[in-house]
Amino acid sequence: MAHLVLTRLVTGGNISPAYSNHQIDSLQAPLLVAWQLTRDCDLACLHCCTESAPGKPLPDELDAAAALRLTDQIIANEVPYVLLFGGEPLVVPHFGAIAERLGRAGVRLKIETNGQRLDAQSLAPLATLPVRSIQVSLDADSAQVYARQRPGASLERAWAACRAVRAAALPLEITFAPTRLNIHEAGAVIERAAALEAFRFNTGQLMRIGTAARLWGRLAPSAEQYRHLRATLHAERVRLAGRLQLCYEPFSVAEALQAHLSEPPATLLILPNGTVKVSAALPFLCADLRHESLAQAWGAYRAAWCSPALIAAATRAIEDESTHALSTATRALSHAVEA
């Protein structure tokens, strides 16, 4: 079975029903492409799961021409929904060209940003596109706590970005990454999100990945803090029903991986250099879009979820949170199969 999976993984061929009965096997293309445009960022946040920082792009990130060729493949494969994120996507010179080309082709867009560069001028081109949401990170409700978790960032600027999103009649989402530094302000941020007319508030357990993994002893909330957060979320979900969606399930990476083993998400996670990662919490790459087509990458992704090596790694990650810290040391899944 491992040899068959490896063969299909490399070739991107069809998957035999004898080895998989996942719902994604009936799809000719992903329903979502989550595209990390860059690892460069204008901030060096303590909790960053992608290890992004100012002046720290990957050395082999796709240039504008390659990124636009990939954009055309996404359109040609009729992918309905694309998430653009980073790092900070707005530092990418060709971000606007990618968003416009996708949007003009009818692809719905979600953009994740820290809000530091987002204003009426940068939002104007997006207001004419099919934007499903602009997600802004608000990791505190006081400037002091916000600056501790996001050194050099301005909370006032992030709030202004949120107001600009709504002024442009675009849907606003808020995300909150809980740490030991800010978790006590979760309730205030939820209230702020409602006041800013966000339609959704996203949170969950801090991911032990990237920069957060290196600073885990400093950042990880206690079990009691998490219990209090979940109680707050449950209460606020009821109180704000019909006004603000509170999304926090699955709450942990382990819970998400458990669900994915049964039904893998119909999502391709594309890294800045064009490689495709099977899961954010696992170290495996299944394709390289610099040399393979999107259709081949989708076939490789579907095959990956049949791989004994991936299933074993996911099971370990569910049982042992500390293994998540290894997820940024990416390697081809074929190497794991051979091992």
Side-chain angles (χ1 to χ4, degrees), residues 4 13 15 22 79 131-132 180 189 233 262 266 270 273 292:
L4 174 62
I15 302 171
H22 297 144
V79 176
V131 173
R132 181 172 174 179
R180 191 178 302 172
V189 178
L233 291 167
S262 298
I270 303 176
N273 60 4
E292 300 168 86

Side-chain angles (χ1 to χ4, degrees), residues 161-221:
C162 293
R163 291 191 290 268
V165 170
R166 295 303 297 129
L170 290 168
L172 173 67
E173 286 188 67
I174 300 298
T175 187
F176 176 85
T179 71
R180 191 178 302 172
L181 306 178
N182 71 348
I183 198 168
H184 61 286
E185 293 198 346
V189 178
I190 293 170
E191 190 61 39
R192 179 75 60 178
L196 289 167
E197 299 182 325
F199 76 94
R200 181 177 294 153
F201 175 91
N202 304 302
T203 192
Q205 187 172 301
L206 182 66
M207 293 189 292
R208 193 170 181 171
I209 300 173
T211 308
R214 295 202 306 272
L215 302 176
W216 196 247
R218 176 181 174 187
L219 296 181

Side-chain angles (χ1 to χ4, degrees), residues 29-30 32-35 37 67-84 98 102 105 107-109 268 270 289 294-295:
L32 168 66
V33 163
W35 187 357
L37 295 180
L68 288 172
R69 285 195 296 271
L70 177 52
T71 300
D72 289 337
Q73 283 202 60
I74 292 170
I75 294 167
N77 281 269
E78 300 182 344
V79 176
Y81 185 29
V82 171
L83 161 63
L84 301 175
I98 293 171
L102 289 169
V107 179
R108 292 178 298 161
L109 301 173
L268 277 190
I270 303 176
L289 290 165
L294 190 74

Side-chain angles (χ1 to χ4, degrees), residues 139-160:
D139 294 312
D141 202 58
S142 67
Q144 181 181 13
V145 173
Y146 184 81
R148 286 178 67 194
Q149 187 153 321
R150 292 180 173 268
S154 163
L155 182 56
E156 289 286 349
R157 194 175 299 136
W159 286 341

